[in-house]
Amino acid sequence: MRDSFIVGAGMIPMGRHRESSYPGLAVPAVLDALESAGLRRAEIGAVYCGHAFGGMLTGQRIVKEIGIGGIPVTNVDNACSGGATALHEAHRAVADGHHEVVLVIGVDKLTQFGGGTLPLVTEDWEVQQGMVMPALYAMRARRYLHERDASVEDLASVSVKARRHGVANPYAQFRAEVTVEQVLAARPIADPLTLLQCCPTGDGAAAVLVVSDAVRRRLGGPALRIAASVLHSGQVIGGFRDMLRPEITFESAREAYEQAGVSPRDIDVVELHDAFSIAELVYYEALGLCPVGESTGFLRSGATTYGGEVVVNPSGGLLAKGHPVGASGVAQVVEVFWHLTGTAGTRQVDGARLGLTHVTGGGISGLDHGACTVHIFEHVG
């Protein structure tokens, strides 16, 4: 397999764009990615578009607006992991020699549902019993408080950190700091989680361009080598499941580090799937950022913010940036691209060389998650 590289990235501010169509959301991100890469539309050999709720032919509806046609366009639905899965497929297309330039789009418009939790597949028996994602993560949080030396204040501190990081991100949906007291006093959603411990729904889009080494060298600009690209689906387990050991993320991360030939301690910046505050603490352990059982102390020590061991979610994460599902996996990559190329502005992680993105997708009875995608990126000159 050949190496593949990301050479351009674009994103729109996440938020409530009620009047925008899916093309209206995605086209500006695509044009920004093309401009940052210095590529022409005619050079794109294929398109992969990740989304969850865009309907039929979402990718084709987007690219026709900028005059792209005649090339393969593949739409990818993998719940919250849709955008990251689209990148995984684009990486394989370039690495296997099928294309020299591939456009990856992540997009979703959640304001179409008018608020509330996202619709899940009603044929699933847990959904029939009333399972929604806030309830699932609330159960994880309750188990965490039972098994770890942790308090509700620790859960709230995740949201405080996320909002603090989001202040410096012009693409974040929420850009105001909050206190632990404000987080705990917010409207209850699913005990012990409050509103400020749940990611906001909204609309958004992001895009990146994946190219071969030959194209990268011709362009001569900053680039990230895709050092690892891993996609796993969940394993069916009946009965008891350890809610603090998401095996799909443990295994995906292990394989990604092996592919990249690095260890968790080598990573400088991480964008992980913090759809709820408890998720960040659980994923510290699953991604190997700290030993199992030590995530509370890891957070308290300041290890996951600026000046610590690894900056986790400098964008503000899903808790501050927002979570337009199909866009989130690509938006994570855009954020890492900016940090590793030294173009993240006032939120820049100094000296960042290696970055990791992680996103899971979907809740299905019997599975930890439906999908998990982990990427590791290395800055190249």
Side-chain angles (χ1 to χ4, degrees), residues 229-370:
S229 180
V230 174
L231 171 64
H232 281 192
S233 60
Q235 294 186 13
V236 179
I237 298 177
F240 172 79
R241 170 177 251 116
D242 186 344
M243 298 193 77
L244 302 186
R245 187 177 176 85
E247 67 274 1
I248 192 171
T249 295
F250 271 92
E251 289 303 310
S252 297
R254 179 194 58 77
E255 186 176 329
Y257 292 130
E258 188 176 286
Q259 274 189 23
V262 301
S263 76
R265 289 194 171 274
D266 296 319
I267 304 298
D268 301 303
V269 57
V270 171
E271 284 283 320
L272 60 73
H273 191 96
D274 63 329
F276 300 88
S277 58
I278 179 59
E280 180 162 326
L281 290 163
V282 171
Y283 291 139
Y284 288 166
E285 300 178 11
L287 294 173
L289 302 180
C290 70
V292 172
E294 298 185 14
S295 53
T296 305
F298 196 59
L299 174 70
R300 290 174 181 170
S301 73
T304 60
T305 190
Y306 291 85
E309 294 181 26
V310 56
V311 182
V312 175
N313 291 342
S315 68
L318 307 185
L319 288 168
K321 185 173 80 259
H323 185 26
V325 187
S328 291
V330 183
Q332 289 178 333
V333 177
V334 173
E335 180 73 13
V336 168
F337 179 87
W338 286 335
H339 284 281
L340 298 191
T341 57
T343 56
T346 57
R347 67 188 186 282
Q348 178 67 48
V349 176
D350 291 337
R353 187 183 66 88
L354 286 172
L356 179 148
T357 61
H358 155 265
V359 60
T360 62
I364 304 174
S365 58
L367 302 182
D368 166 35
H369 280 291

Side-chain angles (χ1 to χ4, degrees), residues 16 18 110-119 201:
R16 301 186 183 280
R18 299 182 188 278
L110 304 187
T111 54
Q112 65 184 292
F113 300 115
T117 61
L118 294 180
T201 57

